[in-house]
Amino acid sequence: MDIMNLRDVELFTVLAETCNLSQAARRLGMSAMSVSRHLAQLEKDLGARLFQRTTRAVSLTSEGEEFLPYARTMMEAEQGARIMFSEDAGGATGLLRITAPSGIGRRYILPLLPELMERNPKMKIDLNLSDDVVDIVGQGYDVAIRVAPLRDSNLIAHRLSSNPRVLCASPAYLSQHGIPTTLAELTNHQCLRTAMVSQWTFVKDGHLLSHLFEPRFICNNVEGVRSMCKAGAGLAQLTKADIHSELATGELVEITLSDAECHMLAIWALFPTKRYLPCRVTVFLDALKSSLKRLMS
């Protein structure tokens, strides 16, 4: 394997984002032919084909997908080195790409960003709020915030905060329908759930227990279920992060069962690599972790 040129690596990362030779060329101030030539040189240096090429577009090969996080790490390391030794080293720089669940994003991430961007005027942020599991390596995200247990062993996980599941209802619903005290009594109640979670999870005698039920209401996001629960439509099992404010104000009431406990989850930050975390990632995570600790305590 020959020595790689960092300019060729930068070109590769831009092309991986655009999947279009002309767009990549415009962004880099080069001709499409020059981009193709540099890409061919990088593939020669690596001894692997990185893109499939057609007349209209390019797409990463499996070797290209494997190389992408390393390429980004190389570019981040170069940028970090330049910043470290530059005279103007004030704050984080560059584009921070975050993906997070919509509920966590709206309640805990968005409120942090104005101050974070003010303190770091050279940092830009691309925030994707989605309840779908996003391929952070393939789509080029710096960090993913997740609540679900980690399934992808290729990602690096950092625990930000505990986040237990909470069985809850509005005071009006409980006043009308009564408060369940056992798992069996849940069958007598209207139940609400998100589309992503097909059953409620509890812990009984140290073992996970799934409670299956026919829901009265299903919604594809947390906000919909929380809104219906507050309106008195039924019981819901959400996480503490989802309903922290409503529990504090009394709009929702936590329900404790005598024969089972709710399942403990956590809020995680996931990274594509642990080799190098840019300053923009660490300042964001420090701010988020501090906020979660203050709000969830």
Side-chain angles (χ1 to χ4, degrees), residues 30-45:
M30 302 166 62
S31 67
M33 184 176 296
S34 181
V35 170
S36 294
R37 187 167 61 250
H38 280 271
L39 177 60
Q41 182 61 51
L42 179 61
E43 290 178 326
K44 180 181 178 182
D45 293 340

Side-chain angles (χ1 to χ4, degrees), residues 92 116 119-120 123 278-288:
L116 189 66
R119 291 202 313 263
N120 300 275
M123 183 172 71
C279 178
R280 61 177 175 270
V281 175
T282 57
V283 297
F284 163 67
L285 290 180
D286 287 346
L288 179 57

Side-chain angles (χ1 to χ4, degrees), residues 75-93 122 276-279:
M75 300 314 301
E76 297 286 2
E78 183 203 29
Q79 182 187 46
R82 291 182 183 277
I83 292 171
M84 184 183 301
F85 295 106
S86 69
E87 292 183 2
D88 182 17
T93 64
K122 293 187 177 181
Y276 173 78
L277 280 182
C279 178

Side-chain angles (χ1 to χ4, degrees), residues 198-215:
S198 59
Q199 69 277 317
W200 290 347
T201 304
F202 296 90
V203 177
K204 186 174 183 177
D205 300 327
H207 300 285
L208 289 182
L209 175 69
S210 295
H211 174 68
L212 299 172
F213 58 91
E214 188 67 30

Side-chain angles (χ1 to χ4, degrees), residues 98-111 113 126-132 134 141 145 223:
I98 311 162
T99 178
S102 58
I104 297 289
R106 291 189 179 102
R107 289 205 158 192
Y108 299 99
I109 295 177
L110 280 172
L113 299 188
D126 177 351
L127 175 63
N128 172 45
L129 298 183
S130 171
D131 292 318
D132 297 329
V134 176
Y141 286 98
I145 306 301
E223 287 89 338

Side-chain angles (χ1 to χ4, degrees), residues 223-262:
E223 287 89 338
V225 174
R226 182 175 59 227
S227 178
M228 290 290 285
C229 192
K230 287 165 58 179
L235 308 179
Q237 189 186 66
L238 298 169
T239 72
K240 187 175 180 181
D242 296 325
I243 58 172
H244 175 269
S245 297
E246 288 73 16
L247 291 176
T249 61
E251 291 176 279
L252 291 176
V253 177
E254 181 174 357
I255 300 167
T256 302
L257 302 180
S258 61
D259 59 349
E261 300 175 355
C262 283

